Amino acid sequence: MSFSSIIAPLSSGLAVLPRSGNHVPHDLVLLRLASHHSQFRHVSFPIARVSVRVPRASSVVVDDQVAERNGEWKEKGGVLRVGVVCGGPSAERGISLNSARSVIDHIQGDDLHVSCYYIDCDYNAYAISSAQVYSNTPSDFDFKLESLAQGFQSLSDFAEHLAASVDIVFPVIHGQFGEDGGIQELLEKYNIPFVGTGSSECRQAFDKYNASLELSRQGFVTVPSYLVQNNEANEYELSEWFARNQLDANSGKVVVKPARAGSSLGVKVAYGVDDSLKKAEAIISEGIDNKVLIEVFLEGGSEFTAIVLDVGSGLDCQPVVLLPTEVELQFHGEVDVREKDAIFNYRRKYLPTQQVAYHTPPRFPIDVIETIREGASLLFQQLGLRDFARIDGWFLPNSVNVSSFSESNFGRTKFGTIVFTDINLISGMEQTSFLFQQASKVGFSHSNILRGIIYRACSRFLELASFKSVSSHLLPKRTKPSLLSEPLPKREGARKVFVIFGGDTSERQVSLMSGTNVWLNLQAFDDLEVIPCLLAPTSGYSAIVDSNEKDAEVRSRTVWSLPYSLVLRHTTEEVLGACIEAIEPARAALTSHLRNKVMKDLMEGLKAHSWFKGFDISDEPPVRFSLEQWIKHAKEVQATVFIAVHGGIGEDGRLQSLLEDEGVPYTGPGVIASKTCMDKVATSLSLSHLSKSGVLTINKEVRRKEELLRSPRLEMWHDLTTKLHCKTLCVKPARDGCSTGVARLCCAEDLAVYIDVLRESLLRIPPNSLSKAHGTIEMPNPPPELLIFEPFIETDEIIISSKSTDEYLHRLKWKGQSRWVEVTVGVIGKCGSMRSLSPSITVKESGDILSLEEKFQGGTGINLTPPPLSIISDEALTRCKQRIELIANTLQLEGFSRIDAFVNADSGEVLIIEVNTVPGMTPSTVLIHQALSEEPPMYPHKFFRTLLDLGSESTDSVTSTMNGGDLTTVPDSLVSPSPKFLKIADEREEISGFRGHFNRIASHKVDWETLKKCSKIWIKNPLNMALLLWITCVAISGAILFLVMTGMLNNVLTKKSERDAWFEVSNQIINALFTLMSLYQHPKRFHHLVLLCRWKPKDVSMLRKIYSKNGTYKPHERAHMLVVIVLLHVNCFAQYALCGLNLGYKKFERPNIGVVICLVIAMAAQAIAGVYCIVSPLGKEYNFEFDEEAQDQKLTNGVPQLKSSSFIPLENEPEWKGGLLDLTNDGVSMTNLYLLCGFCVFGYNMERLGFGNMYVHIATFFLFCTAPLLIFGLAATHFDNVTIREALGVTGIVLCVFGLLYGGFWRIQMRKKFNLPSNRLCCGNPAVTDCAQWLCCCWCSLAQEFRTANHYDMVDNKFRQRAAVSPLQDGDDRAIQLSISSPSILVGEEGCLQSPMVKDIVIINNPMKPPVVPSTIQREDITIL
C-alpha cells in the first residue's frame, strides 16, 4: 500500500478539532504516526521534525466536555462503553485476536458494554461482531471483511466513530501499531481515553535498543548489544564487538532479534559473526524490522517475566509487581546440541508442549524475587508506563560471567545479576497468559483483573471520573469478592460440574486447554459450581490404549481437584508439579508469604478506589483422589462430569464405563461409540457398508512398530504402495489424534526417516525433514505400537491473501481440479438424532498435514466457516451435512463429536478420515466457529452449557432408550436434523457388566408415557404387527395345549376323545406356526451361508452387522460365524423333521422318542447359537491387536467409486409411472412376466432398489404365498372332524392370500424411501392403501413398481433422472468405457471402477463433468467427450 493512499483519506479529517479544544496540525501528526511503522519505512518522504506535543486525552479538558460526559453517564444509566481494538499489521495479529476474545469473555456485563474493532494488515479499520473474535485466525475472515463488517474509509473516520461510540478504548494490538505508539497517538489526537501507556512512552519502550540505552542511563544492568540497521552492518565492527564480549568470532553464541517486534517473533540464535550477519539480513529482508539487535547469549541464566499493575489514583502512578514467573526451557531425550541452545520463541510461548515449563513464584532466592519486583516497579515508573505492563528479564547466578555487562549498580545481588531485557506494553491476554497466571496467584479472577485495569484507566480521565460512583460493582453477579482477611463464601444450591482434563496421551496438553476453556465458560452461569479436575499424567505416558490394563489400575489413577490459580498453566506436567508444590510445606509457606506481601501492596493502592470490592480467588490447596474415589465423590455430590480428556481412557470408553457403573452423568458419546471411534480401523469397518449412500472410507494397512523396524525399508515401501494402489502414503498412529505422528510419505527415504524417528523415540520431526515441505511434526511418546498406512488424499491448494489488490474473489483462490476439500464438522444432539453443524474447510498453512498448532492453537491455522459458495454449493453442502448425520447416527454418537473428512465439492460425497468423540474445545476450536455460524449464533458459554445439559439428559433417558424410547426430541437450542435422519435410534448396547446394568435399571423409574409412545411406534411397523399376531397365536395354542396336558380342562372336556382332539389341534397349529417361521427365515440363512463361503469384502461387512457385536472385526470371525450359521440351519432342519413327524403320523402312532429328539435339537440349536454369539469373540469388545488373520483383512469396500449416474440431476418429486391398472400397457411379454413369473420380477425389482438379495426375496415371497396352504392342508388330513379340517384348510388359504402383504410391506418401504406419492383411498391411511392394492391386484401393483423403477436411475438411495441412452449402448445397459493399459472394459449398471490401474476415464454422452475422486487407486487423467 502506498504512503499517499494512507495519507489522502486521513487528511480528509484535518478540519476536525481535538475535543480538548487545542488545535494541532493534523498533517504533521499523521506523518509522525506513519513514520513509526515498517509499512512506511521504505518510503523516501521528507518528514519535518517539529517539536509538537500532541494533546493526550487526560484530565486537562474543558468544563463543558466534562459536563457533557456526566450527562451521557446519567442517560446511559452508568453503563461503561468499552471499545476493544485488535488485529494490526504484525504477524502477532492472531495472538491479538486471542487476547481480544479473552477480554470480551471476561469483562462483558450489565454495567459494561463491549464493542469490537479490527485493524487489518493494511491499516484498514472495521467494526466487527463479537462472533468474529472467536475465529481461529484473522485469515479466517480477512478476505471477506467487506461483506461481514462495517468498514471505515480512513483511520480518521475510525477515530471519529470511536469518539462518538465508546467511552474508553482497550487496545489489544500486539507489536506494530499497538505497542509502538501508533494506535495510542491516533487516540490521543482525537482525545479518546484508552487503557495503557501513552504514545511517546510506547515508542521508547517498544524499541529494544532505545529501551536498553534508557535502562542503562537509569542505572540498570543491561545486556551487551550491537545494532544492525538497514543492512548497513560493519563486519569489522561486529568482530570487535565479539572480541570485547569474549565471544569467538566463528562460533560465539548470540541472539539475533528485531529491535521493534514482540512475542519473540524473528528471534534466532546465531553462531559467530558471519552467521549473525546472515540472520540479521534475513530479518531485514523478510520485512520484520530494519533495525536488528545482536545480543550476548545468556548462558546458564534463568528467564523470568513479571506483570506490573498500576493501582494509583488519577495521574499518580503506584506500580505493584505481582509474583514473577520463571520460564524454564526443557529438553527430553537425545536432542541436538543446538536444540539445547533454543530460546523462548513464539512457538514455545503460545503452544502447549513439554518444551517449556513455568514456575510462579520463581525458584529463586527470596531476596532475588524481591529485587525483581523492586526493579520492575522502578522501571515502570521511570519509563512513564501506565495501567499495566509485562517486563521480561534474566537472573544470572554468580557462576555466569557478566564482566562485559554494563557497570550499573541496580540488578547486582549477592546471589547473582538481574537483567531486564524486554518491555511488553500490551501483554498477551490469552486464558492462561502470564497476566492471569500471576493475577490468580494473588486473588484476582480473569474478570476482576481486567475490569480493574479498565477502571484504573478510567480514573486517569476526568470525563470518566463520575463512573467511579455510578458503578455499583466491579465483578459479575456470580462472583462474591472478599477483602484480604476474609474467607470467600461458597455458593449454596448450585449444581456441581466436574470438568476433567489431562491424561496420558500426547493430546494431554490440548486437553488442558480444552478443559480450561470449558471451565471458564461454564462459570458464567449462576446455577453452576464448576470444579476443574486434572487426570494426572503417569510417569512415562503413552499414546497407546492398553486394552489389557487392569480395571484396578485404571481406578487407582490420580485425579486432582484444582483451585483456580493452579489451572492456568502451560502443560499438565506443570499443573501436576504445582499441585505437589502446593502441598509441600516449605514451598507452600514461601508462596503464601509472597502472596500475602503482594496482596498487601495491592490493598494499599486499591482501597482508595470505590470500584474495588475485594479479591475473589482464595488460596485453597488442591485435593487428591484416586479415580474411583473421585467418581464416588461425584456421585455423592450429584455432579455431572464434563469429559475433556482427549485420547486414552477419555475416548476409548473406559472412563465412560466407570461413570456409568456409578450412575454419574457425563458428556459425549457412550461406551460403545467411544470404543469404536477411538480405533480408526474399527471406525472404517463400522462405516464401510455406507458406500452406496455416499459415505466412503479409505483403504488401510496396519503395521506393528516392530515389523517396521526389522523389515527392509525399500521392501516395506513397495509392499505398502502395492497393496494400497498408490504412490504417496499417509502414516498415523492407530489410536492417537491431534495430528501427532501424522505425516505424508512420498518415497522410501521418507519412510526410512519416519522409522528412524520411531526407533530413536524422538519427540518431534524437525521441519522439512521429509522430501515434501512440512512444519514441525509432534510425535507420540513413547512411539505407537500400531501404525496405519493410507493412500495420501490429494486436495487442491486453497490460497487466502489479504493483500490482494483485487476484491473478494481474488483473495480466495482455489483451483478446484480434484474437486475435493478437507473439512471438519461438529455434530450435536441426542443418540439417533445427531445434527450436523456447518462444516469448516481446513486450510493448511505449511505442508500437507494439519499441524498441532493449526488444529488447536489460536492465531494459527485457517478455517473457512461456513464454506464459501465459490468452493462448495449449497446443494452439495446440504448433502454433505446429511451424510455427516448418517455417519454420526450409524456410530451411535450422542452429545457432541467432531468428524474429519474429505468432501467432494460437487456431489457432497464424504470420504471419512476420523471421528473424535472428545473433540478439542480450545478457545479457537472450529466447534465454536460452527456454533457461532448457526442462526441464532450460539456463543461459547451457551454452547458448552448445551453440551452439559445434553450429557445430563442422556443419563436421565437411559432407561427409556434401552427399551426403545423415542429419541427424536432435540433440545430447543438445536434445530431438528434433516428429515432423512430423524429416525428412532437403535437400542443401545448393554453396558459393561451386570453391576452397571442393574444400577442403571434400579436407579430410574419406568417412564410409562415414553413406553406407551414407544409401543405405538413399534406396533405401526407391519412386520411387528405380524410378529405380534404370530406370538398371540402361539401363546393361545400353547396355553390350550398346557391346560389339556395338565388336566385343567377335564371339567369342560369330559370326554377323552374331545381332549385328544383339542390336544392335536393345538399341537398341529403350534407345529405349523413354528414350521412357517423356520421356512420364512431359512432363505436368509442360506444367503448368509453363501456369503460366508464367498467371503468378499461386502459379504464380510454384511455378516458383521448381523453376527458381530457393533459390526466390528473379531478374531477368527469367519469360523465363529460358521458355527452360528450351522446351528441356525440345524434349528430349521430339526423343525422340519419335527413337522414331518407331526404330519406323517397320527397322534398314537407318532414315535415319541423322535419327537423329543427333534424338539430338543431344534430348541438347543437356537439357544446355543444365541449364547455362542454372546460368549464367543463375536460378542466381545476388542481393541484390534491384529493377528495374522486380521492382517489379511482388507477394507477394500471403502475404495471411492465413480458411478456412471452420480452426476445426473436429482429427481426431487418422483412419481409412480402409469396407473395402477395399466398392466397391459407394458407389452405382452412384460405382462406375461408379471402373471407367470411375478415372484422373480418382484425379487429382481427389490434388489435393484437396494432392499436386499433377489433370491431371498423370491424364495421368501413364494413361501409366504404357498407354505401356509401346504402345512395347514397336511395338518387337516389328521382329523376326521369335517369342521376342523375345513377350518385348518381355510386358515391355510387365508394365510396364503395375506402372504401378498409381503409385497405390500415392501411397497410401503419403496414409497417412503424414494418419497413417492401416497394414496389415502383406504381408511385415509397410505400404508393400508398400499397393502390393499397388493391384496386386490398384486400383478397391477407389481407392474407399477417395476415400471417406476425402470423410469429412474437410483443413486445414493434417491431417484435421479435417467440419462439419455447412447447409440453405443445396448438396450438399457449404461456403460462407462475405460481406456487402460490392458484391453478396455465396460462397467455397467453399478458403474464401479474395478481396475486398479486406470489411466484414462472417458464418460460417454454425459455433458456434466464428474469430480475426480481422491483415489486409493492411481488415476491420472479424466477426459470428457
Side-chain angles (χ1 to χ4, degrees), residues 40 47 60 90 131 190 319 325 349 494 555 584 643 652 867 887 1159:
F40 313 117
I47 300 178
V60 186
S90 80
Y190 284 87
T325 298
K349 186 171 288 186
R555 292 174 182 271
E584 198 273 318
I643 300 178
D652 65 8
I887 292 169
L1159 187 62

Side-chain angles (χ1 to χ4, degrees), residues 53-65:
R53 176 64 176 172
V54 179
R56 181 181 307 168
S58 67
S59 59
V60 186
V61 292
V62 294
D63 294 339
D64 58 336
Q65 289 177 328

Side-chain angles (χ1 to χ4, degrees), residues 1345-1362:
E1345 293 168 16
F1346 190 84
R1347 196 184 307 122
T1348 301
N1350 265 350
H1351 184 78
Y1352 298 105
D1353 281 325
M1354 193 189 78
V1355 179
D1356 295 342
N1357 290 318
K1358 290 185 178 181
F1359 279 150
R1360 293 180 183 266
Q1361 300 171 10
R1362 181 176 287 277

